[in-house]
Amino acid sequence: MRKLWITAAAMLISANATAGITQELSACASITDELNRLTCFDALAQTVKTQAPITPAVVATATVAAKPVSANVEEEFGNLRKAKADAIDKIYLEIASITKDPYGALKITFTNGQIWKQTDGRRYKLKVDQTVFIEKAALGSFVLGSDDRNTTIRVKRLK
């Protein structure tokens, strides 16, 4: 019976603490003067103890256009078996030929010998001798696009 009362008291105190912080946040947010609002939030932050400080991650990006890249690194870009291709995030290539598979997905061969295939079902017009970019996207995927258009398609490297 005593454990039940202790647990109930702990839950009640925890709920009140959360409600208090929420009310204080609302009060700080309602202040119209920027300096006073910032001071209010700073004072509230001092009262709340956090376990570990949150630090923003630093993300480094590089493109082929920004700095010269050796042909070896460019050849490895998009090849999942090679790990050195992490040095660049975007490459520009010239299209040598375009074909479609039986399902209508584009199969693009570039002048450097790389072959990439479209993985999504969107329509995208390309021409031979057109310069396009291939850029790293989320979760290890790649997108193909053009600087003069605002759309891209998802692609994967075949060769």
Side-chain angles (χ1 to χ4, degrees):
M1 184 73 159
R2 186 173 177 174
K3 289 182 182 178
L4 178 66
W5 285 108
I6 293 172
T7 304
M11 289 175 56
L12 183 62
I13 291 170
S14 174
N16 286 340
T18 304
I21 291 172
T22 305
Q23 289 173 348
E24 289 179 37
L25 280 171
S26 298
C28 289
S30 65
I31 298 173
T32 56
D33 183 48
E34 293 176 357
L35 182 60
N36 291 338
R37 185 172 53 243
L38 180 60
T39 305
C40 180
F41 280 124
D42 286 344
L44 182 59
Q46 290 295 326
T47 62
V48 178
K49 304 282 188 199
T50 58
Q51 294 291 337
I54 299 172
T55 57
V58 176
V59 178
T61 59
T63 61
V64 171
K67 59 183 174 181
V69 177
S70 69
N72 190 25
V73 174
E74 185 177 298
E75 288 175 14
E76 294 173 3
F77 183 80
N79 192 349
L80 298 177
R81 296 182 191 139
K82 310 228 178 181
K84 290 183 181 177
D86 292 337
I88 56 175
D89 293 330
K90 184 176 185 179
I91 60 171
Y92 286 87
L93 301 167
E94 188 174 332
I95 298 174
S97 68
I98 304 167
T99 58
K100 287 189 177 183
D101 72 357
Y103 300 104
L106 296 173
K107 197 173 181 183
I108 306 143
T109 304
F110 294 100
T111 55
N112 68 351
Q114 291 183 9
I115 300 173
W116 293 74
K117 181 179 178 181
Q118 179 181 7
T119 58
D120 61 6
R122 298 180 5 185
R123 294 187 59 161
Y124 197 82
K125 291 187 180 184
L126 293 171
K127 296 178 184 175
V128 176
D129 295 330
Q130 180 181 0
T131 300
V132 295
F133 64 82
I134 298 178
E135 184 174 32
K136 288 183 182 181
L139 301 174
S141 63
F142 296 90
V143 293
L144 178 140
S146 167
D147 285 336
D148 57 341
R149 292 170 66 181
N150 196 23
T151 60
T152 59
I153 57 172
R154 294 216 175 266
V155 292
K156 72 174 181 178
R157 184 170 175 182
L158 300 178
K159 179 183 169 194

